[in-house]
Amino acid sequence: MEQTKKIALKTTIFLIATPIIGVFGTAALLLTRGIPTYTWLAFLFMLVATGLSITGGYHRLFSHRAYKAALPVRLFYIFFGAAAFQQSVIEWSSDHRIHHRYVDKDEDPYSITKGFWHAHILWLFKDRSYREPTNVNDLWEDKWVKFQHENYYSVAIFMNFILPMIICGLWGDWLGGLIVVGTLRVAINHHFTFFINSLAHYKGAQPYSDKHTAKDNWFIALFTFGEGYHNYHHEFQADYRNGIRWHDYDPTKWLINIFSYLGLASDLKTISDEQILRKKMIMDEKRLRNKLEVKSESLAPGFEERLESLRKTVQERQLRLLALKTEQEEVDKKAVKDAKSDFKVALKTWKRFVSGDLAPA
């Protein structure tokens, strides 16, 4: 435990220096000679490629095994993920699996219970070189993951700094490649990811569970490539999706779907609609009871019976709808439409009840 009190000096300097050099260096380039459009395009490409390699690769593929990916996809994640300078696949996944196993407990490496800034960045300032990743034996079997881990800094430096300099050098802006595409971009990548560990455990809704601090926050999803639906993710970590509704902003999910369509991803794991609805209804009921308890109101006669009746109706109509969609060889469109309408009515009635409209005032 004594080792945990030591400062990871190189990491600390890197995390402090990159945003300073990136911001002021970019400003200096803008003021002195301008930055070519192609350099900004390279910046955007690297920002998206490295960001999606963390969310789609490091996170959903390697850490959670939420789907399987073909070699070209894995190589994309492994090399562009290295350019994010967030440790190797092995180390990142090990830390993340520990986070899920011990979320909000002392063993959680970036527990929000130790403070917002601890979860955001300060945990990385502590020397953790003594640790041995023992919970990622499955990842060692991938020779390219192993290669990246054993040659991490060489790969990361090349992908993050040297490659952008070479590419931007094609139009005479190697310095822009170093400062803008390399340094500024990696600092932005860092804090996009860090906000998942901090803000997504600090601010937002908990529609699926309040047994942990993870929150759903659509705003966070906008700059984390869809990772903002964190309450859902912590409750259903095996799901390759974070945003499950059609309107949820989850470009990582969209990318995985594209890979699947192209035959480059398979075995996409999802949680059943029944499980998801069951969790939501449990939380709906819990919030209603808490609201009534705060108001110190006694339950109206027949409250429990009404609650149970509505719950049963919603679940039965959902099961009927799902059965019609999946069990018939030739789907009766009218029957499905009617079942969907019945389910929506039951769900709407449930929501009105648990919101207090039909419950004791």
Side-chain angles (χ1 to χ4, degrees), residues 75-293:
L75 290 176
F76 177 85
Y77 289 152
I78 287 167
F79 283 93
F80 281 98
F85 259 100
Q86 295 183 28
Q87 304 176 322
S88 68
V89 168
I90 292 288
E91 291 177 302
W92 200 102
S93 299
S94 176
D95 283 337
H96 193 70
R97 290 178 183 183
I98 293 171
H99 167 65
H100 272 270
R101 183 176 181 181
Y102 299 107
V103 62
D104 300 330
K105 296 182 174 64
D106 190 57
E107 297 90 339
D108 180 354
Y110 32 91
S111 173
I112 193 69
T113 62
K114 297 177 183 178
F116 181 91
W117 291 109
H118 168 85
H120 188 78
I121 192 172
L122 293 181
W123 73 280
L124 290 164
F125 290 0
K126 298 179 181 179
D127 177 31
R128 304 175 71 243
S129 59
Y130 61 89
R131 75 197 190 286
E132 289 291 335
T134 58
N135 57 346
V136 286
N137 290 337
D138 56 310
L139 298 181
W140 286 110
E141 297 174 4
D142 188 320
K143 67 178 183 180
W144 287 105
V145 168
K146 184 178 180 181
F147 169 83
Q148 190 226 43
H149 181 73
E150 293 175 345
N151 302 276
Y152 177 69
Y153 287 105
S154 297
V155 174
I157 290 170
F158 176 80
M159 291 297 298
N160 187 71
F161 294 115
I162 298 176
L163 183 62
M165 290 171 66
I166 293 173
I167 292 174
C168 293
L170 296 176
W171 50 86
D173 191 28
W174 66 268
L175 186 58
L178 174 63
I179 299 297
V180 180
V181 184
T183 310
L184 177 66
R185 191 267 315 151
V186 78
I188 293 173
N189 267 140
H190 281 159
H191 289 278
F192 279 3
T193 299
F194 297 168
F195 273 122
I196 302 168
N197 300 335
S198 56
L199 195 57
H201 280 266
Y202 184 76
K203 190 72 174 176
Q206 293 184 301
Y208 304 100
S209 176
D210 60 358
K211 294 180 180 178
H212 44 73
T213 57
K215 310 288 196 300
D216 274 10
N217 189 317
W218 65 267
F219 180 72
I220 298 173
L222 297 180
F223 54 87
T224 59
F225 302 96
E227 299 282 81
Y229 309 99
H230 212 49
N231 189 252
Y232 179 85
H233 172 63
H234 264 269
E235 202 59 23
F236 304 112
Q237 59 184 282
D239 200 320
Y240 85 96
R241 308 163 299 173
N242 268 200
I244 59 171
R245 298 168 297 185
W246 70 268
H247 57 82
D248 287 336
Y249 182 79
D250 188 357
T252 303
K253 174 185 68 178
W254 304 336
L255 178 67
I256 296 169
N257 286 337
I258 291 171
F259 284 149
S260 176
Y261 178 78
L262 296 174
L264 296 172
S266 60
D267 194 20
L268 279 58
K269 296 182 176 65
T270 59
I271 302 300
S272 70
D273 291 341
E274 303 100 295
Q275 288 178 274
I276 295 170
L277 182 60
R278 190 180 305 118
K279 285 285 187 178
K280 290 194 72 173
M281 292 179 75
I282 289 172
M283 283 301 296
D284 287 341
E285 181 179 340
K286 186 172 185 178
R287 279 190 292 269
L288 173 60
R289 292 184 183 278
N290 288 342
K291 185 193 299 183
L292 295 175
E293 185 177 338

